[in-house]
Amino acid sequence: MAEGPADTVFEDCRYLTGSPQRFAVLSQLRERPARPTDLCDSVDATRTTIQRILAGFSERQWVVKRDGEYRLTVTGQRVFDRYRALVDEVERARAAGPLAAHLGSIAGELPADLLDPACLTTTSEQNPLAAINRFTDWMHEVEGDVRAISPIVTSVFNDAAVELLETGTHIEFIIDHSVLERSVSDFSDALERGLEHENINTYVHDTALDIGLALDRSRVCLAAYDDRNNVRAIAESDATAVYCWAETVFDQYKERSQPLAAVLPVQENNP
């Protein structure tokens, strides 16, 4: 069976992605025309390999040879630019994987800025506490009032909240019923504070939470948790579009929540 256009295009794509040296040659030629000997100096490949790559590019009309130098054609430039964009996106996807895999229902509306590797802190085998430590640092750097959503309760977060309240910071805090149950059993002081302190308003969401979110005056911190409620990654941003998105998310969760005082009596009466 003869190859169709789609097969040919697929083979061209497979050719380009078949070795890093091919992309490296395209990258060098994107900067300036070059002779094979010049490419040997800048690309980790033998002269034979360089010649073979240039022959493959010439066959596809991505490069032409003029006056002994190879240069990209306009289509070669476009192929390079699109492939560079793909490589960049794959790099972003790899970096953001621990965040993206644990975002739950909000993943489809996530602002692209929060997938920027520069915004991310992720856990690893070498540093399993990297994300939770950075989230704690973020809380210590808060400016202005705080709105937060959390699917877990820990002494670290409770201590950070105490520090904020002592400075006069107002906190709006959304938890779920599992957090409430653990607070009743293990963090009664923090629960009482959530009920009685004038600067904190705590709400209980009607279903289990699957993200962490915090906003202060101008910043956003999004936390992604695994099935065991370990923080796997956080993303931080002060971009206006991200902040507006986070405000909308918080308001949506708050609409489906009840004040702690309205829920706690029912919770305490359950066997």
Side-chain angles (χ1 to χ4, degrees):
M1 181 181 295
E3 285 189 348
D7 297 320
T8 303
V9 169
F10 177 77
E11 288 301 321
D12 287 349
C13 292
R14 188 162 65 175
Y15 177 79
L16 179 57
T17 60
S19 79
Q21 288 84 5
R22 292 170 189 167
F23 179 66
V25 169
L26 269 188
S27 183
Q28 291 298 315
L29 295 179
R30 187 69 174 86
E31 295 296 323
R32 65 186 64 84
R35 298 175 184 272
T37 52
D38 300 328
L39 294 170
C40 287
D41 293 337
S42 55
V43 177
D44 184 17
T46 64
R47 182 180 177 86
T48 300
T49 298
I50 294 293
Q51 292 282 16
R52 189 180 302 119
I53 291 172
L54 290 171
F57 288 167
S58 296
E59 178 185 342
R60 292 165 175 81
Q61 299 181 335
W62 295 348
V63 304
V64 292
K65 184 178 180 181
R66 292 175 185 159
D67 301 324
E69 292 183 328
Y70 287 85
R71 63 191 66 221
L72 292 186
T73 63
V74 64
T75 51
Q77 292 176 17
R78 290 174 62 84
V79 166
F80 170 82
D81 291 344
R82 298 304 190 275
Y83 187 59
R84 175 73 264 177
L86 174 61
V87 170
D88 290 345
E89 191 60 36
V90 172
E91 288 177 347
R92 286 162 60 97
R94 178 177 288 274
L99 180 80
H102 300 96
L103 281 181
S105 59
I106 69 167
E109 300 176 359
L110 191 73
D113 285 348
L114 288 177
L115 297 177
D116 187 336
C119 295
L120 299 168
T121 302
T122 59
T123 61
S124 65
E125 292 184 3
Q126 294 75 26
N127 193 353
L129 298 178
I132 187 66
N133 287 342
R134 178 55 206 149
F135 189 59
T136 303
D137 290 343
W138 189 95
M139 293 295 293
H140 289 149
E141 297 163 4
V142 159
E143 295 182 357
D145 293 339
V146 174
R147 288 167 285 177
I149 299 170
S150 180
I152 67 170
V153 56
T154 70
S155 58
V156 173
F157 291 174
N158 286 337
D159 291 345
V162 169
E163 292 180 17
L164 292 174
L165 292 172
E166 288 176 348
T167 65
T169 301
H170 182 266
I171 301 173
E172 285 191 282
F173 190 37
I174 300 175
I175 61 175
D176 60 20
H177 288 276
S178 66
V179 171
L180 178 56
E181 289 173 1
R182 184 158 184 228
S183 297
V184 169
S185 61
D186 298 342
F187 298 98
S188 57
D189 290 345
L191 186 62
E192 184 177 352
R193 189 182 311 115
L195 275 171
E196 298 181 357
H197 200 290
E198 63 182 1
N199 280 342
I200 183 168
N201 297 107
T202 304
Y203 304 89
V204 182
H205 197 256
D206 61 359
T207 61
L209 299 171
D210 54 11
I211 62 161
L213 183 68
L215 303 81
D216 68 2
R217 179 184 299 151
S218 60
R219 305 175 305 150
V220 173
C221 186
L222 174 68
Y225 296 81
D226 64 18
D227 294 339
R228 297 182 178 180
N229 274 341
N230 299 309
V231 182
R232 296 300 306 274
I234 66 165
E236 306 170 60
S237 178
D238 58 3
T240 300
V242 174
Y243 195 85
C244 291
W245 168 83
E247 285 190 307
T248 299
V249 170
F250 183 86
D251 289 344
Q252 289 172 344
Y253 277 79
K254 185 177 175 181
E255 287 174 2
R256 295 185 55 180
S257 304
Q258 291 183 283
L260 176 61
V263 176
L264 190 57
V266 176
Q267 189 76 22
E268 289 179 332
N269 290 334
N270 283 338

